């Protein structure tokens, strides 16, 4: 019955014969399964973007075919090879001789965080994402994480130390800070999202926690005083750590420190710098 209905996307021609780089859908909410590094499977909600390119002689694509391709895989734990398979099926599903397709999924990954002294445990959610791109037959897979941390201003700490020497008191200011990281892993290897998050948190040292008691808060304050960081310090430490990871082919990172003394944020951006690699803030 469906085949008997008109389909102007394929029978009509576009008014202007112009190639479209990417066309599709975004802000699609879907349930996904995601394996945990430490065992078990998370049931999450992902925000999905699915696109393909379009020849200059075809009027449009069937947007529903993108979702009909995706829906078959929602019962399987999400992995890079699953995303690769979905993108390969795009080629025939949209009936447009697709050469360039993309599938992007953003979701929040829960990780149990343990307070440093009281050992209270509570889940903390991290914004993460997977992106798969298929250009002709070349598949590329990207992973991203956003990690919140606290930064303790070295300049403010130094000025407060000067005040103390002069017989006055001052409190150095701390800043709510974020690291956005996008990586491409060498083909055939696996790096868990949890590993990327831990790498960042281990480097910046000053973690945030979903729940603390006073004994924990005092310990956090002590750690902050021992590890002051400008945004330049943060991104250099993270960049150095990323360069030590043999399984990461390419990376780009942005650090943002939300100033407590100013209306603006302090930011820094850096990337690995390999030929034809991440070199633009567009990726973040």
């Amino acid at each position: 019955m469906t085949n008997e209905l008109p389909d102007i996307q394929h029978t009509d021609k576009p008014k202007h014969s112009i190639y479209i780089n990417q066309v599709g859908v975004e802000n699609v909410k879907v349930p996904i399964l995601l394996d945990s590094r430490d065992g078990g499977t998370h049931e999450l909600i992902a925000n999905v973007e699915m696109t393909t390119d379009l020849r200059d002689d075809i009027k449009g694509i069937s947007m529903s075919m993108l979702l009909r391709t995706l829906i078959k895989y929602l019962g399987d734990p999400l992995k890079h090879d699953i995303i690769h398979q979905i993108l390969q099926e795009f080629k025939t599903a949209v009936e447009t001789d697709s050469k360039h397709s993309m599938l992007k999924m953003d979701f929040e990954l829960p990780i149990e965080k343990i307070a440093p002294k009281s050992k209270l445990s509570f889940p903390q959610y991290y914004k993460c994402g997977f992106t798969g791109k298929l250009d002709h037959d070349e598949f590329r897979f990207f992973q991203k994480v956003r990690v919140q941390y606290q930064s303790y201003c070295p300049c403010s700490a130094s000025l407060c130390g000067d005040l103390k020497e002069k017989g006055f008191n001052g409190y150095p200011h701390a800043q709510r800070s974020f690291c956005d990281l996008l990586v491409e892993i060498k083909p055939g290897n696996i790096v868990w999202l949890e590993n990327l998050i831990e790498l960042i948190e281990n480097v910046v040292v000053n973690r945030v926690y979903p729940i603390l008691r006073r004994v924990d808060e005092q310990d956090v304050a002590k750690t902050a005083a021992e590890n002051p960081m400008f945004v330049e310090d943060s991104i250099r430490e993270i960049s150095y750590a990323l360069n030590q990871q043999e399984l990461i082919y390419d990376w780009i990172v942005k650090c943002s420190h939300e100033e407590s003394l100013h209306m603006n944020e302090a930011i820094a951006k850096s990337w690995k710098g390999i030929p034809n690699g991440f070199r633009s803030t567009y990726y973040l």
Side-chain angles (χ1 to χ4, degrees), residues 22-39:
Q22 294 285 286
V23 59
V25 296
E26 67 176 4
N27 292 325
V28 179
K29 297 290 192 299
V30 299
I32 64 169
L33 301 175
L34 187 68
D35 286 340
S36 170
R37 179 193 63 179
D38 303 318

Side-chain angles (χ1 to χ4, degrees), residues 44-103:
L44 307 174
I45 300 295
N47 188 302
V48 174
E49 177 183 344
M50 308 169 67
T51 60
T52 185
D53 63 326
L54 188 63
R55 294 200 327 247
D56 60 3
D57 61 334
I58 298 179
K59 187 173 183 63
I61 69 169
S62 172
M63 302 289 182
S64 66
M65 288 303 297
L66 297 173
L67 299 181
R68 288 163 63 183
T69 302
L70 174 64
I71 198 171
K72 296 183 295 183
Y73 295 93
L74 295 183
D76 301 319
L78 187 64
K79 302 178 186 295
H80 73 282
D81 57 342
I82 294 293
I83 293 178
H84 188 188
Q85 180 65 30
I86 294 171
L87 291 174
Q88 287 181 318
E89 292 191 19
F90 278 7
K91 290 184 177 182
T92 55
V94 296
E95 300 177 343
T96 62
D97 190 27
S98 171
K99 295 294 191 298
H100 308 282
S101 54
M102 181 182 72
L103 173 59

Side-chain angles (χ1 to χ4, degrees), residues 159-171:
L159 293 173
C160 288
D162 182 68
L163 279 175
K164 187 173 182 179
E165 291 178 0
K166 297 174 179 176
F168 300 96
N169 291 318
Y171 290 98

Side-chain angles (χ1 to χ4, degrees), residues 154-186:
C155 180
S156 181
S158 175
L159 293 173
C160 288
D162 182 68
L163 279 175
K164 187 173 182 179
E165 291 178 0
K166 297 174 179 176
F168 300 96
N169 291 318
Y171 290 98
H173 69 97
Q175 300 157 140
R176 178 172 290 181
S177 305
F178 299 89
C179 173
D180 291 290
L181 171 65
L182 181 71
V183 301
E184 182 175 5
I185 306 304
K186 292 181 179 179

Side-chain angles (χ1 to χ4, degrees), residues 179-197:
C179 173
D180 291 290
L181 171 65
L182 181 71
V183 301
E184 182 175 5
I185 306 304
K186 292 181 179 179
N189 294 283
I190 296 175
V191 173
W192 293 88
L193 294 171
E194 291 94 334
N195 291 106
L196 296 175
I197 291 168

